[in-house]
Amino acid sequence: MIRVVVVDDQALVRMGLRTLLESEDDTELVGEAADGRDGVDLVRRTRPDVVLMDIRMPRLDGLAALREITSDPALATVRVVMLTTFELDDYVFGALRDGASGFVLKDSPPDELLHAVRVVAEGASLLSPSVTRRVIQQFTGRGTPSGAPHPALERLTDRERDIVAWVSTGRSNDEIAAELVVSPATVRTHVGRAMVKLGARDRAQLVVFAVQSGLTPIRPD
């Protein structure tokens, strides 16, 4: 059973998500909150598997609530999915940097919302669904300023560095394997090692590290 908390200041959104989650055999709504402050308190009390978090909320906005959750060692297993619209894309990169595991649009079809919950609950990140891929491509394509390279970047092997660059494109392990003509298991191994070396909370943060470090994928000759 996947335990979910919903944090959104719109009652209609909460009602829709509640109805959706309660209609499934493998998801359970363990609580809901109408602002970020109550949301963080609820997460600390219930320790859910997944939080569906709105961005714009009173008292404490979703990004500040996200930072409180991801910086708390006691909540290390909690995964946060941001509920967003394309009008709020400017927040996406910062949310990835601060530990969001992915994004879904508020008006997404029910099956896409449920897919988000299940994928994140399994420890993956929402970088393969089309909405997140388009957002990442928008940021990299419009020249989001790079920061200093990640301090642990030099610890990566050349292959790990290349695969982290491919991860930043939103491709799945299978898609990266096809591009590099290697097995998906090989890609998974390199991704896992890179996450450990870079201290990434999840695959989504690898995107941040790759973009900030200026990594770009290289296709084999």
Side-chain angles (χ1 to χ4, degrees):
M1 185 68 71
I2 303 170
R3 304 172 70 252
V4 184
V5 158
V6 171
V7 185
D8 195 296
D9 65 334
Q10 296 181 6
L12 190 60
V13 172
R14 296 199 307 274
M15 181 180 68
L17 291 172
R18 181 193 319 131
T19 301
L20 178 63
L21 293 166
E22 291 177 346
S23 70
E24 298 296 306
D25 294 335
D26 63 339
T27 57
E28 176 188 6
L29 181 67
V30 296
E32 55 185 82
D35 64 67
R37 180 74 276 147
D38 287 347
V40 172
D41 293 342
L42 176 62
V43 169
R44 286 184 170 137
R45 290 198 309 273
T46 60
R47 307 288 176 88
D49 301 303
V50 178
V51 180
L52 295 176
M53 178 83 72
D54 189 19
I55 292 179
R56 287 182 173 173
M57 291 184 293
R59 296 183 67 199
L60 189 70
D61 67 40
L63 296 179
L66 166 70
R67 287 191 291 270
E68 287 201 25
I69 291 169
T70 58
S71 64
D72 187 341
L75 303 177
T77 62
V78 177
R79 294 293 177 259
V80 182
V81 176
M82 306 305 293
L83 299 171
T84 185
T85 67
F86 279 120
E87 288 73 30
L88 295 175
D89 279 352
D90 287 342
Y91 295 103
V92 169
F93 194 80
L96 282 172
R97 179 195 60 218
D98 292 333
S101 292
F103 303 84
V104 289
L105 294 177
K106 285 190 176 184
D107 59 356
S108 295
D111 58 343
E112 188 169 311
L113 283 162
L114 290 170
H115 174 73
V117 170
R118 289 166 179 145
V119 166
V120 170
E122 291 173 357
S125 58
L126 287 174
L127 294 183
S128 54
S130 59
V131 55
T132 305
R133 181 174 297 181
R134 289 198 301 271
V135 169
I136 295 301
Q137 288 174 343
Q138 179 177 353
F139 269 85
T140 57
R142 74 185 187 190
T144 300
S146 298
H150 191 285
L153 196 65
E154 62 184 19
R155 296 180 56 199
L156 301 184
T157 65
D158 289 343
R159 177 58 97 183
E160 289 166 354
R161 186 188 301 245
D162 192 31
I163 285 180
V164 169
W166 278 105
V167 168
S168 74
T169 68
R171 286 170 170 78
S172 67
N173 287 344
D174 288 349
E175 290 169 329
I176 295 172
E179 291 281 0
L180 300 180
V181 196
V182 297
S183 72
T186 296
V187 174
R188 283 195 298 273
T189 297
H190 287 308
V191 168
R193 289 174 179 170
M195 287 178 61
V196 171
K197 291 179 181 179
L198 297 177
R201 178 182 173 93
D202 57 23
R203 190 182 180 99
Q205 281 198 313
L206 288 183
V207 171
V208 176
F209 297 155
V211 174
Q212 288 184 329
S213 301
L215 297 183
T216 56
I218 301 173
R219 282 187 167 84
D221 296 332

